[in-house]
Amino acid sequence: NAGVTQTPKFQVLKTGQSMTLQCAQDMNHEYMSWYRQDPGMGLRLIHYSVGAGITDQGEVPNGYNVSRSTTEDFPLRLLSAAPSQTSVYFCASSSIQEIAEAFFGQGTRLTVV
Amino acid sequence: GNSVTQMEGPVTLSEEAFLTINCTYTATGYPSLFWYVQYPGEGLQLLLKATKADDKGSNKGFEATYRKETTSFHLEKGSVQVSDSAVYFCALSDQAAGNKLTFGGGTRVLVKP
């Protein structure tokens, strides 16, 4: 039972590079979201989606893009990486009836140098 | 807006000690409250929840009671084990905010044998 799968687990980028963090879920959940986790700040919502073709901004969307072409996949794109984007990124999914009861992936630790 | 405040860690305890992690919240609506746990190297997992005043959530020996009068949702466990070493996040979801999760900063707990 895979749940929510994130790749890669670790990544080092140079300032200005772009990359895509992958997220896939196999629970047929409508709702998917991306968070970043920074020390002492908890998790902050970057972008979310309530279904295929529908995305919206969260609390800290600047510098990130998302798309949702299928129910299963919700990739997060960093357009031009900056040191301020060094963080741990978590993808989560949940049913639309219980959005707050989320299932999280194992995270991607990103370092931008 | 909504916010969650929890005690800063780290909290270091001996095995079989009593654990309390304080959590207070501010919400515009009438939120549901959650505790999530993050074990080392893993994503967050839902530990327990409460959806209305005076509800008690419980799981794995942990308990928390929704106190509307003090806007609190403190987490307690009577006898901790080394395996309880983790980061604990208090969170709320509010229908007025689209049921999105708002997290506290997290409290790291270390249980020593």
Side-chain angles (χ1 to χ4, degrees), chain B residues 17 20 31-32 38 44 51 58 69 73 84 88-89 95 105-106:
Chain B
T20 299
S32 295
Q38 183 182 26
L44 281 71
T51 58
S58 62
E69 63 277 11
F73 193 53
D84 294 323
Y88 294 83
F89 292 92
Q95 194 170 16

Side-chain angles (χ1 to χ4, degrees), chain A residues 41-113:
Chain A
M41 301 184 73
L43 277 73
R44 292 180 292 169
L45 182 64
I46 304 171
H47 284 286
Y48 64 98
S49 169
V50 299
I54 306 169
T55 64
D56 207 344
Q57 296 181 350
E59 182 185 354
V60 288
N62 292 341
Y64 308 96
N65 272 358
V66 292
S67 59
R68 184 97 180 268
S69 56
T70 67
T71 298
E72 294 79 19
D73 299 301
F74 191 44
L76 177 72
R77 294 184 195 82
L78 279 71
L79 308 171
S80 177
S84 60
Q85 294 179 303
T86 294
S87 188
V88 180
Y89 292 85
F90 287 100
C91 178
S93 75
S94 53
S95 72
I96 206 71
Q97 292 83 13
E98 297 285 357
I99 286 173
E101 294 191 28
F103 293 80
F104 284 80
Q106 289 193 308
T108 297
R109 183 173 294 275
L110 176 68
T111 302
V112 182
V113 297

Side-chain angles (χ1 to χ4, degrees), chain B residues 3-74:
Chain B
S3 66
V4 177
T5 302
Q6 56 182 110
M7 58 191 294
E8 291 190 22
V11 175
T12 303
L13 303 165
S14 297
E15 216 166 14
E16 299 184 3
F18 185 87
L19 171 68
T20 299
I21 304 176
N22 290 339
C23 171
T24 57
Y25 67 89
T26 302
T28 52
Y30 193 7
S32 295
L33 302 174
F34 304 82
W35 278 100
Y36 277 82
V37 58
Q38 183 182 26
Y39 298 106
E42 299 185 9
L44 281 71
Q45 304 173 23
L46 179 62
L47 180 60
L48 53 84
K49 70 172 185 178
T51 58
K52 61 183 187 295
D54 300 324
D55 263 4
K56 178 184 284 188
S58 62
N59 187 23
K60 300 182 179 181
F62 289 89
E63 293 183 341
T65 301
Y66 189 142
R67 299 290 188 199
K68 189 168 185 288
E69 63 277 11
T70 54
T71 62
S72 64
F73 193 53
H74 304 322

